[in-house]
Amino acid sequence: MNENNVESILHEERLFPPSAEFSTKARIPNRAALDSLIQVANKDYVGFWAKQARAELSWHQPFEITLDSTNAPYYQWFNDGELNVSFNCLDRHLKDKGDKIAIIFEGESGDRTTLTYQQLHQRVCRFANVLKAQGITQGDRVVIYLPMVPEAVIAMQACARIGAIHSVVFGGFSAESLKDRIEDTEAKFLITADGGYRGGRIIALKAAADRALKSGCKSIQGVIVLRRTGHSISMITERDLWWHEAETGISSHCDPVWLNAEHPLFLLYTSGSTGKPKGIQHASAGYLLGTITTMKWVFDIRDEDIFWCTADIGWVTGHSYVTYGPLAVGATIVIYEGAPTFPDSGRFWKICQDHGVTVFYTAPTAIRALMKAGDNIPAAYNLSQLRLLGTVGEPINPEAWMWYHRVIGGGHCPIVDTWWQTETGVHMIAPIPGVTTAKPGSCTFPLPGIDIAVVNAQGQPITAPDQGGYLVITKPWPSMIRTIWQDKQRYYDTYWRKFDGKYYLSGDSARRDEEGYFWIMGRTDDILNVAGHRLGTMEIESALLAHPKVAEAAVIGRPDDIKGEAILAYVTLKETCSIGDKALIIELRDWVADQIGAIAKPDEIRFVDNLPKTRSGKIMRRLLRSISRGETITQDTSTLESETILTQLQEKN
Ligand code: PRX
């Protein structure tokens, strides 16, 4: 971003206060209750977090020092305390909730199993003993490359129990990505499966793991293989071990290892816009605390809830809101293995109906894809148990928000639009569902104890409403990234250098409206500069998405002699529309001009069948920029959902 602020052109005036029915029963039921939390946090945020940590976590050795800033920005939280994350997620519930269902699992082909807290505890302990028997001890790295099955949670919890540091690699990643991550972590063990089911096919995980290990990964001493599909795979004697065989005769008693609060819990790789993926390192106690407080404040979790976060464990969302947060509060979760569209676009809604899901959390990309399939599909299912909906991963365009609210939530469920990042560990900006009046497309306000600002290039707060700038976090928080694995310098350079260690730089641009609501405008790298006006991608895309024929849109700037940058929009259409329709191009350009003003009118619109996305559903705009400029692609495309999209787009050029 250059010196100027980003202009906002989107105006959303619809307001959605929570219903009295929701608020009365909510954990934070009214403004006064929320304000009292916020006031305490504002007065003394360190004391606030100390109090939360004492109330929410079970400590083996209580902490005295809450925040150690000696080596800022390498902050440490609760560092003289000791606990175990798996103990906090399992053991402490056994007395009162041993028979409560922890996990409801549904495989893609319809197979179902459940695990109570007691059963889950036993399985985690047994598998932790398997890891110990293989010589894995505290501090060792273990890479997990599994489908979305209960064993993925079991493997993560087992690592946490013995102090091994897990690094989960999404099952859709290639052998090459797996290899890079194994090598960077220098993992001792790999846990994988023969395969998993997705979209009616078997994902051959073991075969990919074999390819990864063949060409390097010298640190790996052994591979544990879960039998999921039962199809034939090759096992290498000496190196590979079946999960079920390794468990034979192994005890299900395993005392947790008491660990320092700052002991690394996991590494999770995110791909930056340049260079190799970064191993984001999270600590134990502070991270777990953040998952618990947000489960309570944002998801308003209750004992009787059936909580379903659709994210794969390969993403931070699957760490915080599948494996750790819900279990730490003793909730019942749903895990689904397969694709949202298998065998048809009703699958998510069928699962919600069949398992009585009450709190549902997914990504805007999934919402848009399911919305494209039409209202009659969700209408075929009983979604009346739902009481709260959430989204994460990208800005949700108001149109998709409205559909989610009306069609899925039946008009009565609050929607929590949660802004956060792999690096922040847990939600940072999100509505408190029983209190906050929502505005479609806004993630609303920072959570208690979290200080966030929008600043200009000099780091001064932007006070005028609707002026976009850098979104920064101005105080440390317990669940924050601790460092980048093996690269302290890159941690500083990426997140702190811009504002001299004073603020954490999120890399997003945002604005606040006249009522202080936060609106994410896109990544700062994606900002367009059109005739001296600096525009975020989100607002133009939202305007396009509000057109009844548009399914998806990605906006980028392409060099233009006169305007500096011209606006180029890649658009996918809803199923019934024809792609060669020239009149529609004119209609869409005028539509955007009408909706948000002539300055944002796209100079060019290209219809495409698909947009390039990461496997977690984010549009890769920088790739579109390179393609539109006819450049050779030098970026890391290993996280791209489908390589064939590239060829398709290049042909359109
Ligand atoms: O650009 C923001 C976008 O996703 C980025 C973080 O991505 P990742 O580390 O993969 O974590 C995704 C799950 C937390 C952010 O920098 N993003 C995430 N949530 C939102 C969002 N943008 C707008 N609104 C959101 N609710």
Side-chain angles (χ1 to χ4, degrees):
M1 253 182 6
N2 69 14
E3 303 303 294
N4 300 323
N5 300 340
V6 185
E7 289 179 38
S8 169
I9 41 191
L10 180 84
H11 296 285
E12 174 58 60
E13 282 167 3
R14 289 169 285 199
L15 295 175
F16 294 86
S19 67
E21 200 204 336
F22 187 97
S23 300
T24 333
K25 296 184 199 144
R27 280 178 178 269
I28 304 183
N30 51 44
R31 170 64 51 194
L34 177 59
D35 282 349
S36 73
L37 267 183
I38 293 174
Q39 272 156 22
V40 176
N42 285 351
K43 227 160 111 197
D44 169 16
Y45 78 101
V46 176
F48 171 80
W49 285 119
K51 197 168 158 215
Q52 294 292 333
R54 290 192 178 104
E56 302 292 357
L57 296 173
S58 302
W59 293 90
H60 177 66
Q61 165 78 45
F63 64 94
E64 294 292 331
I65 304 165
T66 306
L67 172 63
D68 181 350
S69 306
T70 324
N71 294 316
Y74 303 88
Y75 293 99
Q76 303 207 308
W77 286 87
F78 321 120
N79 195 20
D80 56 344
E82 276 180 13
L83 49 53
N84 179 281
V85 166
S86 141
F87 179 91
N88 273 271
C89 292
L90 302 169
D91 307 50
R92 66 172 171 162
H93 305 312
L94 294 184
K95 192 163 153 276
D96 297 333
K97 292 187 180 178
D99 293 331
K100 179 176 175 171
I101 290 178
I103 296 178
I104 301 172
F105 170 69
E106 183 165 315
E108 191 178 73
S109 44
D111 49 319
R112 293 175 178 182
T113 43
T114 56
L115 285 172
T116 63
Y117 270 91
Q118 187 74 55
Q119 291 166 329
L120 180 61
H121 178 258
Q122 278 180 4
R123 295 217 38 200
V124 168
C125 288
R126 183 171 299 125
F127 195 65
N129 283 332
V130 166
L131 296 178
K132 284 205 288 194
Q134 296 303 315
I136 297 171
T137 55
Q138 185 179 335
D140 287 342
R141 273 81 60 209
V142 173
V143 167
I144 298 176
Y145 186 56
L146 283 173
M148 197 53 195
V149 291
E151 284 78 3
V153 173
I154 291 169
M156 292 163 84
Q157 289 280 352
C159 287
R161 195 160 190 90
I162 62 169
I165 305 167
H166 62 68
S167 184
V168 181
V169 177
F170 173 55
F173 277 159
S174 63
E176 194 60 24
S177 311
L178 175 64
K179 179 183 152 219
D180 289 348
R181 287 154 176 78
I182 291 175
E183 292 194 333
D184 199 61
T185 54
E186 297 172 287
K188 210 168 175 182
F189 250 76
L190 171 65
I191 302 171
T192 187
D194 51 357
Y197 296 100
R198 187 142 183 118
R201 292 184 306 126
I202 287 179
I203 307 294
L205 293 167
K206 176 63 165 59
D210 286 340
R211 285 197 301 281
L213 298 190
K214 207 169 161 187
S215 55
C217 306
K218 296 288 169 259
S219 58
I220 290 288
Q221 295 177 5
V223 180
I224 297 178
V225 186
L226 173 76
R227 179 171 281 157
R228 167 68 186 140
T229 58
H231 75 287
S232 141
I233 54 158
S234 62
M235 294 287 278
I236 297 179
T237 349
E238 309 279 298
R239 190 195 72 186
D240 301 349
L241 198 66
W242 284 107
W243 179 308
H244 57 276
E245 286 176 7
E247 280 190 337
T248 316
I250 294 277
S251 153
S252 62
H253 177 90
C254 175
D255 287 331
V257 175
W258 302 115
L259 299 164
N260 182 274
E262 278 293 309
H263 187 275
L265 178 63
F266 65 84
L267 309 173
L268 185 60
Y269 284 79
T270 61
S271 55
S273 49
T274 51
K276 61 173 188 145
K278 308 188 277 282
I280 307 301
Q281 181 177 322
H282 278 287
S284 298
Y287 169 80
L288 192 66
L289 177 62
T291 67
I292 295 173
T293 51
T294 52
M295 281 303 300
K296 292 188 173 178
W297 297 339
V298 181
F299 289 132
D300 187 44
I301 197 78
R302 295 201 218 127
D303 201 31
E304 63 277 17
D305 274 323
I306 307 289
F307 179 80
W308 184 22
C309 161
T310 68
D312 190 278
I313 42 127
W315 317 120
V316 72
T317 312
H319 284 56
S320 305
Y321 300 109
V322 179
T323 302
Y324 292 113
L327 297 182
V329 298
T332 300
I333 60 170
V334 170
I335 294 181
Y336 167 57
E337 174 187 33
T341 48
F342 188 86
D344 58 48
S345 307
R347 187 62 184 266
F348 270 10
W349 318 129
K350 184 169 185 329
I351 294 174
C352 285
Q353 166 190 277
D354 292 357
H355 301 294
V357 172
T358 56
V359 181
F360 178 71
Y361 189 39
T362 197
T365 179
I367 298 170
R368 282 194 295 270
L370 298 173
M371 175 175 150
K372 198 170 154 183
D375 293 10
N376 54 338
I377 294 186
Y381 299 96
N382 178 0
L383 300 177
S384 63
Q385 297 297 311
L386 286 171
R387 66 178 192 93
L388 179 62
L389 303 174
T391 83
V392 59
E394 291 170 279
I396 181 164
N397 53 298
E399 225 43 45
W401 195 103
M402 291 303 297
W403 183 84
Y404 198 28
H405 184 257
R406 180 175 56 83
V407 178
I408 306 306
H412 65 86
C413 298
I415 296 182
V416 286
D417 175 352
T418 60
W419 178 85
W420 58 296
Q421 307 179 299
T422 305
E423 293 86 341
T424 69
V426 304
H427 307 154
M428 295 281 103
I429 312 180
I432 302 296
V435 180
T436 316
T437 293
K439 295 186 183 182
S442 163
C443 48
T444 74
F445 302 98
L447 294 175
I450 302 297
D451 258 284
I452 299 201
V454 177
V455 300
N456 65 17
Q458 291 73 43
Q460 287 142 353
I462 295 175
T463 45
D466 295 326
Q467 289 293 308
Y470 296 89
L471 186 72
V472 295
I473 308 180
T474 59
K475 292 198 182 89
W477 66 102
S479 69
M480 69 195 295
I481 173 178
R482 294 306 194 265
T483 186
I484 292 176
W485 179 250
Q486 308 281 40
D487 205 343
K488 281 179 79 174
Q489 188 58 43
R490 191 171 178 200
Y491 165 74
Y492 185 80
D493 292 346
T494 311
Y495 305 109
W496 301 93
R497 178 175 297 286
K498 170 93 188 155
F499 296 113
D500 296 327
K502 195 168 158 217
Y503 299 146
Y504 166 87
L505 181 72
S506 71
D508 284 352
S509 60
R511 69 178 163 98
R512 302 187 69 178
D513 66 19
E514 62 288 347
E515 290 173 300
Y517 282 70
F518 282 75
W519 297 78
I520 307 297
M521 299 172 82
R523 300 290 297 168
T524 49
D525 305 340
D526 293 335
I527 300 247
L528 280 66
N529 198 335
V530 182
H533 298 273
R534 295 167 44 68
L535 307 174
T537 49
M538 189 265 175
E539 301 190 335
I540 309 173
E541 286 163 7
S542 281
L544 281 162
L545 287 166
H547 190 282
K549 291 186 180 164
V550 173
E552 285 186 297
V555 165
I556 57 162
R558 78 166 152 64
D560 181 275
D561 289 345
I562 299 163
K563 298 207 274 183
E565 272 186 316
I567 302 175
L568 166 57
Y570 287 89
V571 167
T572 70
L573 294 175
K574 293 204 175 135
E575 268 135 30
T576 46
C577 310
S578 127
I579 249 179
D581 191 345
K582 290 245 162 58
L584 185 57
I585 294 188
I586 301 171
E587 186 180 321
L588 288 180
R589 294 183 61 222
D590 291 343
W591 167 270
V592 175
D594 254 20
Q595 296 259 311
I596 52 179
I599 180 70
K601 184 173 177 169
D603 297 274
E604 188 185 341
I605 291 185
R606 287 186 197 168
F607 293 130
V608 288
D609 295 334
N610 283 301
L611 294 174
K613 290 193 198 156
T614 64
R615 285 159 207 264
S616 60
K618 288 192 215 296
I619 297 169
M620 297 171 84
R621 292 181 192 77
R622 67 195 160 88
L623 208 62
L624 286 173
R625 275 200 298 274
S626 298
I627 292 171
S628 76
R629 290 166 197 196
E631 297 165 359
T632 32
I633 313 275
T634 52
Q635 298 121 344
D636 175 21
T637 53
S638 66
T639 56
L640 187 66
E641 197 181 29
S642 152
E643 293 265 351
T644 55
I645 290 175
L646 275 185
T647 347
Q648 241 183 50
L649 290 165
Q650 278 159 333
E651 280 162 9
K652 294 260 171 194
N653 230 5

